[in-house]
Amino acid sequence: MADLTRRGLLAAGALTLLAGCGKDQPRQQAADGRPHGEVTVWLHGSQDTGQQFQELVHRYIAEFKVDVKLLYLPVGQLDAKLLTAFSGGAPPDVFKIGHWSFPAHAKKKRLAPVDTKALSLQNYEPGTTTPLTYQDVPYGVPIDFNPCMLYYRKDRFEEAGLDPDKPPATWEEVADYSAKLTSGDRRRVGLQWLYGDPQWALMTLTALVQGKGGELVAAGGAKASLATEQGIDALTYMSGIGNPKLSNPLGSLGLFYSGEAAMVVSGAFLGPALEKLGKDKLTFGKQYGVAPMPTWAGGPPVVPAYTWGWGVAKDSPNQFTAWHLVNYLQGAPSVTANLDNGIIIPTKGWRDAGPRGKSEIMKIVADSLPHVDFGPIIPGTLELAKAAAGAVDSVAHGKSTPAQAAAAFDSAVRPVL
């Protein structure tokens, strides 16, 4: 994802920091069908989009005379602070969280269903609101939607005698290419996994297991099992590729940028991020390219994906205005500005929002829409992701066999399903 840091707010009087929105405030409903009153918003900050976002909020304040109070938080602290706010009965009206957090909050009845009078769900690409829906009730709308794809270093391919214009299309080819791209000391590798990241471990296993006809979690979240033929095969496959001992301050992105990793699975955001690191060193089409997410030979396409989403608290005293603000923040100016940074708001027609929409990366995103898989949409998704990372890392570091890691995964997630 983009570099996320805490951002200071503009000093304008209408935008102020707020720790929470208390229940003792009068409930502000929009009987006249117009937004009014006050709305608090919590979100993680971004150096790339913060200014554009604040300008958009200022325009909303000026147009609708609504007082919007923002609190930017470091991405690593947002979930914990939000949980504390819910527990204390003082959540913000609006918040931006990962799709993996929605089911648990929805189960505990902390979220307000989408107010379709303030926001139309028909404006979104089919399937992109699915991970923000729990038990057939929509609780959020997507922002920063990212299906996975394969990034590869054309220059590394040429060095290894591989055709730089023919990236691997199957997982079998990925393994073959990786072997040819990996040095004897493994300081330079072919494909590098995102070790240690729970969500990316879960997404990778989703692609590998379901691509072979298996499933990590049965329909409805009734049962999870990695200790299957497909699950053990996936862990075995992952352990034979990459090097978990390689490190870089920017993780696998940094390893890809440096050339130590010749391939990496990532989202649409990576292209603009690489540009910001330095076009003179790594130029799209010259030193690197992109390709659709690999499949198993003869298997169906499975494109793991994630999204962040806007949600509204059930205890918000001003739900209509909260959803009205979200709808405004998802409008054309925001779609265009975000797309330039590789952040996709998947409203219909998003590819026409700016020049980047016509890029090869965004074409791959558009083509992958029918095949996206957000993984299990269950309250225990976070625990499932942590267990997935544990299984992948233990096998990669030689601490357990694939069968042992799969059994440990099943044991760890059984209580949360």
Side-chain angles (χ1 to χ4, degrees), residues 128-208:
T128 58
T129 61
T130 298
L132 310 173
T133 299
Y134 181 67
Q135 294 184 340
D136 298 323
V137 178
Y139 288 103
V141 292
I143 182 172
D144 197 0
F145 162 71
N146 267 287
C148 291
M149 64 191 74
L150 182 72
Y151 287 76
Y152 67 100
R153 293 283 302 243
K154 287 174 171 268
D155 50 359
R156 286 284 313 276
F157 274 42
E158 286 184 308
E159 289 175 14
L162 298 169
D163 189 335
D165 295 318
K166 291 185 178 179
T170 66
W171 290 116
E172 289 88 349
E173 289 176 342
V174 167
D176 180 53
Y177 281 39
S178 286
K180 296 174 181 176
L181 290 159
T182 300
S183 62
D185 59 6
R186 298 182 69 201
R187 292 183 180 275
R188 303 181 87 207
V189 298
L191 179 68
Q192 179 75 350
W193 307 109
L194 278 70
Y195 298 103
D197 189 295
Q199 290 302 326
W200 283 94
L202 183 59
M203 288 194 294
T204 302
L205 286 175
T206 294
L208 295 174

Side-chain angles (χ1 to χ4, degrees), residues 250 253-254 257 272-280:
L250 296 177
L253 185 158
Y257 182 74
L274 291 171
E275 291 175 11
K276 289 176 175 59
L277 285 175
K279 283 186 177 181
D280 56 331

